[in-house]
Amino acid sequence: MVFPGFMNKVPMAVLAGALGLGAALTAAIWYWGGPKHTEVGYSPKQPIPFSHRVHAGDLGMDCRFCHNTVERTAVAPLPSGESCMSCHAFVKKDSEGVKRLAAAVAKNEAIPWVRVHRLPDYARFHHGVHVQAGVSCLSCHGRIDQMTQVRQVEPLSMSWCLDCHRKPEAQLRPAHLITRLDAVIPDPVATGRRIMESRHLKPSTDCSACHQ
Amino acid sequence: MGKRNNAMDPAGPVSHRVMPMGALFLLIALALVSCRGGRTERPPIHLNPNMMNQARYNPQTLSRNPPDGVVAFGRDARADGVGRADLLKEGPAQTGRDASGKWVARIPAAVTGDFINRGRERFDIHCAVCHGETGSGKTVLTEKGLPPPTALIDARVVAMADGEIFGIITAGARNMAGLGKRIPAEDRWAIVAYVRALQAARRGVPADLSDSQRGALP
């Protein structure tokens, strides 16, 4: 006898081990390899620590005060430094961040804000169309009004977009509640269905809707 | 009896050794599972970045200096906030002034219920932060150092021509920055209409009403 008896078990053990490892690896890549892990949670430090919690939450400023063309244009714009200074020329003008802001505005320099929500360049998203349809900021950006440092909460992946394009009811709101992130919609699906009918909404699931 | 049971392994039966191992493994797996989508300051990793970043300029990214011989043309090209669309058809509806340069007395648009409601929505977005939702000029910001804004229900504002209020929204006044770049002209007129509605609501007297409206009062 050349091999000891336990060697009989080795092929099976190797096979079971390889299968187990393969399954574990597949599961890990499936779970952590996609946008639900790689995109969600991104919360970069900004050059000036601007708090949405203070401005949109505590002060109750409407999202559209700063992101003013979001109802009409593809992009929800960042406000100009002058917009900030219309208040911060007086309020909290001794804080470190406001001083840096004022210096940048005086020199007509751009503030290098770090983008949080970013779609690939081959996907086109139009903010105006979605806001006009009744999709709240909340659906894609979460409770921004509670975030001190903005954090991505949705994967913004293609399957996630399509989930809503196929079943948009629960994400649609009456126009006056679009930017009210704390609003509770009593029967969201029935409300959404009414909005879909009245505005003749038919979200496209064609490739060319987003990949133009 | 002091005599060891030979059937027992010193470390206990197999199931007793596997149980804590399995529990530990399960705990680690659970801890890892909860790691999904956690907060991080590091930018997302893209394993296959094909064409994600194309050789083009996206809106609001820094661009190079404009090429020689090119003139800036767009909404913000003029420093006084009069936008491009307004420039193309400059008239009382865009400037708030008539041909002789005087403020127009009345809003150059049909003031309907929808128009005033639009004005209310825009007022609550752009004006209420400082002037208050009722136009009283009292907000939490004055406690934080903002010089008290004009109360829009003051007699001084009531006496202004519609065009003058429009002009102030467009170009600013005192400490207020002009909002002409941020609000389209039509919406600025709608805001003027709503400011008039706020004034009427606050300063109105029964004599302002028609007989039938007065009869409906409680």
Side-chain angles (χ1 to χ4, degrees):
Chain A
M1 206 209 248
V2 183
F3 297 109
F6 70 83
M7 285 303 278
N8 288 340
K9 291 180 184 158
V10 166
M12 279 313 279
V14 167
L15 194 68
L19 276 175
L21 200 70
L25 209 65
T26 308
I29 291 174
W30 169 80
Y31 196 77
W32 289 295
K36 281 181 187 168
H37 178 65
T38 59
E39 307 282 327
V40 171
Y42 180 39
S43 175
K45 217 172 159 157
Q46 299 291 350
I48 294 171
F50 172 83
S51 168
H52 277 84
R53 190 192 183 97
V54 168
H55 292 83
D58 299 347
L59 292 175
M61 289 166 71
D62 195 285
C63 309
R64 293 165 288 186
F65 182 85
C66 298
H67 307 291
N68 59 327
T69 67
V70 68
E71 297 157 294
R72 309 192 297 274
T73 57
V75 177
L78 293 179
S80 65
E82 284 93 352
S83 313
C84 311
M85 292 309 290
S86 60
C87 193
H88 280 297
F90 311 103
V91 177
K92 283 200 85 177
K93 57 183 174 185
D94 295 325
S95 90
E96 205 48 50
V98 173
K99 276 186 195 159
R100 250 180 293 157
L101 171 76
V105 171
K107 282 190 276 183
N108 202 18
E109 272 174 6
I111 296 151
W113 300 112
V114 184
R115 186 158 188 182
V116 184
H117 302 84
R118 171 91 156 81
L119 290 185
D121 280 352
Y122 50 73
R124 176 172 162 80
F125 176 82
H126 196 293
H127 274 91
V129 168
H130 288 83
V131 172
Q132 294 296 338
V135 182
S136 167
C137 321
L138 181 74
S139 295
C140 309
H141 298 290
R143 288 301 298 271
I144 291 270
D145 61 328
Q146 295 178 343
M147 296 182 194
T148 308
Q149 183 169 297
V150 171
R151 168 173 184 236
Q152 184 168 334
V153 294
E154 297 291 347
L156 307 189
S157 63
M158 183 165 133
S159 69
W160 175 84
C161 289
L162 279 171
D163 284 346
C164 185
H165 269 238
R166 291 186 180 122
K167 268 181 166 293
E169 291 91 346
Q171 308 297 336
L172 298 175
R173 296 172 166 222
H176 67 284
L177 294 177
I178 289 278
T179 57
R180 300 290 292 273
L181 306 188
D182 56 348
V184 180
I185 312 290
D187 183 356
V189 174
T191 310
R193 212 163 274 149
R194 266 201 305 281
I195 292 173
M196 279 186 80
E197 272 168 35
S198 66
R199 296 184 193 169
H200 309 289
L201 298 181
K202 264 194 202 161
S204 171
T205 50
D206 292 337
C207 310
S208 61
C210 313
H211 306 297
Q212 295 174 333
Chain B
M1 305 268 183
K3 197 182 171 195
R4 283 177 72 101
N5 188 346
N6 284 334
M8 265 305 220
D9 195 284
V14 171
S15 63
H16 284 205
R17 272 178 293 153
V18 171
M19 281 278 275
M21 283 283 286
L24 189 72
F25 186 77
L26 209 68
L27 265 177
I28 292 172
L30 271 176
L32 280 175
V33 161
S34 68
C35 281
R36 196 190 210 188
R39 178 186 289 276
T40 173
E41 288 188 1
R42 281 170 302 163
I45 300 162
H46 297 120
L47 294 178
N48 180 15
N50 284 353
M51 294 180 76
M52 286 192 93
N53 300 295
Q54 298 171 12
R56 73 177 199 204
Y57 288 124
N58 282 319
Q60 297 204 309
T61 49
L62 281 176
S63 65
R64 293 172 303 196
N65 291 328
D68 285 342
V70 179
V71 177
F73 185 67
R75 262 195 81 80
D76 296 340
R78 257 176 72 158
D80 59 2
V82 179
R84 173 180 154 198
D86 300 342
L87 277 176
L88 294 175
K89 41 171 180 149
E90 199 158 293
Q94 284 74 42
T95 60
R97 292 177 191 273
D98 61 20
S100 60
K102 283 203 320 203
W103 296 117
V104 296
R106 288 266 167 268
I107 297 168
V111 180
T112 59
D114 284 347
F115 191 70
I116 297 174
N117 281 331
R118 172 79 182 171
R120 175 185 190 157
E121 189 188 60
R122 298 295 117 176
F123 181 92
D124 288 347
I125 294 170
H126 295 287
C127 316
V129 186
C130 295
H131 289 288
E133 284 192 6
T134 57
S136 64
K138 294 194 187 93
T139 64
V140 70
L141 287 177
T142 47
E143 290 159 29
K144 293 178 185 289
L146 190 78
T150 299
L152 302 177
I153 45 184
D154 268 1
R156 186 170 70 83
V157 185
V158 174
M160 284 179 187
D162 286 351
E164 187 173 2
I165 300 178
F166 177 88
I168 291 172
I169 300 172
T170 308
R174 298 203 302 154
N175 293 317
M176 176 181 153
L179 294 160
K181 282 183 191 172
R182 286 166 46 195
I183 315 174
E186 204 176 312
D187 285 343
R188 273 174 270 151
W189 285 117
I191 290 172
V192 175
Y194 183 62
V195 168
R196 291 300 191 210
L198 285 176
Q199 291 168 350
R202 186 61 182 267
R203 303 176 67 93
V205 288
D208 295 341
L209 300 174
S210 68
D211 287 339
S212 61
Q213 284 171 323
R214 243 194 319 275
L217 285 179

